[in-house]
Structures are given as C-alpha cells and as structure tokens.
Amino acid sequence: MPKHLTFLPALVLSAIISTGAMADSAPDAATVVASVNGEEITLGHVIMAGASLPEEYQQVPADVLYNAILDQLIQQTALVQSREGDVPAVVEISLDNERRSLLAADAIESAMAEVGSEDEIRAAYDAKYADGKGEVEFNASHILVETQEAADAIKAELDEGADFAETAKAKSTGPSGPSGGELGWFSDGQMVPEFQEAVNTLESGQVSDPVQTQFGWHVIILNDKRDKEAPELEAVAAELLGELRQNALEDKIEELTSKASIERPVVEGLKPEMIKDLGLIGN
C-alpha cells in the first residue's frame, strides 16, 4: 500500500475502497443517484418516472431528460418531507387505490402471460373452426320509425301481407328506406346489440316484432344468412390469443374470489349517491 494512504482514517479509506468497488459494477435500479435529507432516490425511480411521461417527452435528449427528471424527484421529495405527519386523507386514499390498481394490473399481466403458446393457439383454432366454417353473416332489411305505436302498426300491416320493401320505401325514416330498407350483409357485432339480438332469433323470411334501439323503433326482416369459410390460422391468431388470455384472466379472478373471504356489510345510512360526495373525504 502506498505510504500516504496509511495516514488516512479508517472510515475514509473504507469509503474510497467502496467507491472504487461501485465504479467497477454497472448501475442498476437500486443504484442511489440522489438523496434528500437522507431519503434515497434511485435510478429505478428515475426510469419509472421517465417511462410514465407522454410520448412527446421521449424525444428529449437523454442527458436533458435525466437531469430534468432527477431535479423534479428531488424537489418532490423535499415537498413530501414538508408534509411529514400532515398527509391529507384524499392523498392517502388515492395512494391506496393507486397501489391496488398497479398490483392488480401486474397480476393481470401475469395471469395472461401463462397462456398463449403456439400449441394453445392451434388448439383453440381447431376447436373453433373444426367444421371448416367461420362466423355467420346476415342479410337483413328494416323499417325505422320514431315510436312504438308506429312500429306496431307497420308490423300489423306486414302480418296482413303488405310488401316489406314497399312499406320501407313509404314509411321508414332511416337512410336505407329508399332502397327498401336493405342493409346488405353484416357480421355479428356490426349492428347495435338490440338489433343484432333480434336478428339472431329470426329465420330467413321472418319479420321481427318492433325492436327499440338508440335510433328509434325497428321492424326487421331477415332475408338470408350464410356461413363464411374458416379463416387461415395466421389471420385470427391474434384474436385467438386475446380470447385465451381473457379466459385465463376470468378463470384466475373466479379462482381467487371464490377462495377469498369477502364481506360486504350492510352499512346503515349508506347511499349510492355518496360516491360523488368528495366532502366525506375532507382535506
């Protein structure tokens, strides 16, 4: 050991050795990059703060972004320390909810990551398209009017033998009226739910009872339906993966909640409207 180092206090010498050791190892998430009154800020804190920034900030040069984020974290830490023992209830509750949300999101990712292998996707494809057929397509026409009374009257006319297309041309308020109410071919999910549910119950040539949607009252006739050919695996692989993961997530939630001891006590005076009363939380 060089002679001049022998005169250094043991504590200083230890610090020099430790600093040299740190320099030899690569920084990681636990590496302390700043401290405020002894409270440490790590590289992990900086990384996560940067990852949460809007897209436009991701284009900022790394050295500028790093220093700006670190400065902000230092300032925030000093501000937080000024509230020691004086944390508002709204902040405490928000932190509880944020922690719950983040951990739940991580659990969701873990549950979905457990499925989705090529073999599982292939098995899902074979099960869904075993008959070589794809989704069902529908061809329907409709007459749209504003009131149930008008729809009931039109349904009665059709039951008595009135021509659907001519009635649509004369009475439908929808844009398809001039073309006899024809909507062409569509797949499940392309129409609003109430309309699709009615179509699903019809046989070709059958006219529905009046159906209400956000657009008004419809009288629908199913002109025809057909099965599409099964798609290639590659075309639906992403869709099947999504279904597998959604099913895995639902199964996991069902498993966890069925095993959990869950209590929802009846609270006297509790009203659903209280969800909007921030005054209950206070400052």
Side-chain angles (χ1 to χ4, degrees):
M1 180 179 292
K3 184 177 180 180
H4 63 277
L5 287 183
T6 61
F7 298 102
L8 288 173
L11 183 60
V12 176
L13 182 58
S14 174
I16 292 175
I17 295 172
S18 298
T19 302
M22 288 177 61
D24 291 336
S25 60
D28 58 21
T31 300
V32 177
V33 293
S35 67
V36 180
N37 295 322
E39 184 173 344
E40 296 178 342
I41 299 171
T42 67
L43 180 57
H45 291 133
V46 178
I47 292 171
M48 288 305 300
S52 66
L53 290 174
E55 180 62 31
E56 58 265 28
Y57 288 99
Q58 308 303 330
Q59 311 306 318
V60 176
D63 58 335
V64 175
L65 189 61
Y66 173 85
N67 288 314
I69 292 173
L70 185 55
D71 285 344
Q72 183 183 58
L73 293 176
I74 289 171
Q75 294 162 9
Q76 288 177 339
T77 303
L79 288 167
V80 169
Q81 290 174 357
S82 75
R83 300 304 299 268
E84 279 294 327
D86 184 29
V87 181
V90 66
V91 173
E92 291 282 13
I93 294 172
S94 296
L95 288 172
D96 286 343
N97 280 346
E98 183 67 13
R99 181 177 184 276
R100 183 184 297 111
S101 178
L102 289 171
L103 289 173
D106 185 69
I108 287 172
E109 290 294 329
S110 297
M112 294 195 299
E114 293 177 0
V115 298
S117 67
E118 290 186 8
D119 288 343
E120 288 172 320
I121 293 174
R122 165 60 71 176
Y125 175 85
D126 291 341
K128 188 171 185 177
Y129 301 105
D131 58 2
K133 297 178 181 179
E135 63 183 0
V136 178
E137 288 188 314
F138 305 89
N139 186 298
S141 302
H142 76 138
I143 300 170
L144 177 65
V145 291
E146 294 182 358
T147 67
Q148 182 177 5
E149 291 74 17
D152 286 337
I154 288 171
K155 177 62 164 61
E157 290 179 27
L158 295 171
D159 288 344
E160 292 174 2
D163 182 76
F164 193 98
E166 292 303 318
T167 304
K169 290 178 183 179
K171 299 185 176 182
S172 181
T173 61
S176 65
S179 61
E182 292 183 6
L183 297 172
W185 290 97
F186 56 90
S187 301
D188 195 355
Q190 290 185 262
M191 297 295 180
V192 293
E194 301 89 348
F195 191 99
Q196 185 65 58
E197 288 170 10
V199 169
N200 289 344
T201 66
L202 298 176
E203 298 296 332
S204 296
Q206 185 178 3
V207 177
S208 74
D209 290 328
V211 177
Q212 185 180 25
T213 73
Q214 66 198 69
F215 303 106
W217 287 86
H218 310 254
V219 178
I220 309 164
I221 184 171
L222 179 62
N223 300 317
D224 199 4
K225 61 182 178 180
R226 65 189 180 191
D227 293 315
K228 295 178 67 176
E229 290 186 7
E232 295 295 327
L233 173 59
E234 293 75 14
V236 293
E239 176 185 340
L240 293 170
L241 176 59
E243 292 175 359
L244 285 169
R245 288 180 170 174
Q246 183 62 34
N247 291 337
L249 174 59
E250 292 174 359
D251 290 344
K252 186 66 173 180
I253 292 174
E254 173 62 26
E255 174 193 347
L256 293 173
T257 55
S258 65
K259 291 180 179 179
S261 175
I262 300 172
E263 298 179 6
R264 299 180 65 167
V266 176
V267 180
E268 184 176 354
L270 176 63
K271 299 178 181 179
E273 294 78 11
M274 290 179 174
I275 192 174
K276 298 182 179 179
D277 189 356
L278 289 175
L280 291 175
I281 296 177
N283 296 324

